[in-house]
Amino acid sequence: MSSWRTQMSGSQTLHVASKCVHRKYHFFAAIALSLLSLHAHAEWEVTDQGTLAEGATATAVSADGRTIIGQRIMAGDSNHAFKYVDGVMTDLGTLGGKHSNATAVSADGKVVLGVSERADGSYHAFRHVHGQGMVSLCTLGGNFSAVRASSSDGEVAVGESRLRNGETHAFKYTDQGGMQDLGTLPGGSRSFAYEVSADGVVVIGMADMANGDIHSFMHTDSKGMVDLGKVSEQGALSAPLLLLNSVRKHDS
């Protein structure tokens, strides 16, 4: 058993303990230790942002810092996406089902994106614009799609969607082109996008190969999907890879 100590502002000290287990990883512990190693001895300034409603989980914040988004537990065993601005929490509702979650927000906080259940039990990626409500971005033919990130203006959304044949592919959505299937790397059958540049041009994500290896990729409209190489062992601790592996298990 070993322990780490990271000095925080004032006299507070954070303690984290970890037990090494050969080739077994605990995701949350790994992330905590990674953050500690990156920020050891750093001083932190904490600003009181008020209190979110009970049962609310924040997932992202706008670039200007004024808008917080996330998911809130509601009555009747449901969860709704929310937007929190200047101390006021707004329920963004759903696409007709019981559940929704906000996962991305534009720089100015006016555009919120995420995933919502529909009345038929399927899940669709959504975009919510202030004053216009929640709109489905549809799917690539299957019963699931979800937004993971967006451009700074909220006009470009990326994520993953299920196809009619059951495969899961990364997508890029724009109003002009709709939901675009970004495909897979050679020999693979699954991919997903988890980040996009501020201007919406460059998309990054992960995809599987024919031999089962997981590779990172970069996608642009001009070059298509470019293989960035096999994911390292450190990358195996990442949330995107865990998501891809969960998708693979669900599809199999």
Side-chain angles (χ1 to χ4, degrees):
M1 181 74 69
S2 56
S3 63
W4 288 260
R5 295 165 60 92
T6 300
Q7 188 65 41
M8 312 298 280
S9 60
S11 60
Q12 295 182 349
T13 302
L14 177 65
H15 299 263
V16 177
S18 174
K19 182 177 181 180
C20 295
V21 180
H22 182 59
R23 300 190 66 81
K24 290 185 179 180
Y25 303 96
H26 190 289
F27 172 61
F28 294 106
I31 293 298
L33 295 178
S34 297
L35 291 174
L36 286 174
S37 64
L38 287 173
H39 300 289
H41 306 297
E43 292 188 356
W44 299 79
E45 180 180 352
V46 179
T47 302
D48 187 354
Q49 296 290 341
T51 303
L52 294 176
E54 183 177 356
T57 301
T59 57
V61 61
S62 59
D64 63 12
R66 294 189 60 234
T67 303
I68 298 171
I69 63 167
Q71 183 183 64
R72 180 185 177 188
I73 299 174
M74 308 293 289
D77 191 31
S78 63
N79 302 280
H80 283 194
F82 72 80
K83 180 170 70 171
Y84 181 85
V85 184
D86 296 334
V88 178
M89 178 174 286
T90 301
D91 181 357
L92 301 186
T94 72
L95 292 172
K98 295 177 63 176
H99 307 291
S100 62
N101 187 22
T103 55
V105 60
S106 61
D108 61 7
K110 293 182 179 179
V111 182
V112 179
L113 304 103
V115 57
S116 174
E117 184 183 23
R118 303 204 316 161
D120 61 4
S122 63
Y123 283 81
H124 281 204
F126 74 77
R127 182 167 64 193
H128 184 285
V129 180
H130 180 69
Q132 299 180 23
M134 184 180 290
V135 177
S136 169
L137 303 185
C138 298
T139 72
L140 293 174
N143 61 359
F144 176 85
S145 63
V147 173
R148 301 295 171 185
S150 73
S151 57
S152 61
D153 60 7
E155 293 298 312
V156 179
V158 301
E160 76 274 358
S161 175
R162 187 152 292 139
L163 280 62
R164 292 186 186 277
N165 65 5
E167 293 183 357
T168 299
H169 285 193
F171 73 76
K172 175 181 176 180
Y173 179 92
T174 63
D175 283 340
Q176 295 75 21
M179 186 172 285
Q180 174 191 357
D181 185 347
L182 301 188
T184 64
L185 291 173
S189 61
R190 300 172 181 87
S191 63
F192 77 98
Y194 59 84
E195 192 56 89
V196 61
S197 58
D199 60 6
V201 173
V202 180
V203 181
I204 61 172
M206 291 186 182
D208 64 357
M209 304 291 285
N211 63 0
D213 287 345
I214 307 299
H215 284 216
S216 296
F217 72 78
M218 175 184 72
H219 182 282
T220 62
D221 289 343
S222 60
K223 295 182 179 180
M225 187 175 287
V226 178
D227 188 350
L228 299 181
K230 184 178 178 180
V231 175
S232 66
E233 185 171 311
Q234 288 78 10
L237 299 176
S238 70
L241 183 56
L242 292 177
L243 176 61
L244 179 57
N245 283 332
S246 69
V247 168
R248 294 173 68 184
K249 291 178 181 178
H250 186 279
D251 288 349
S252 61

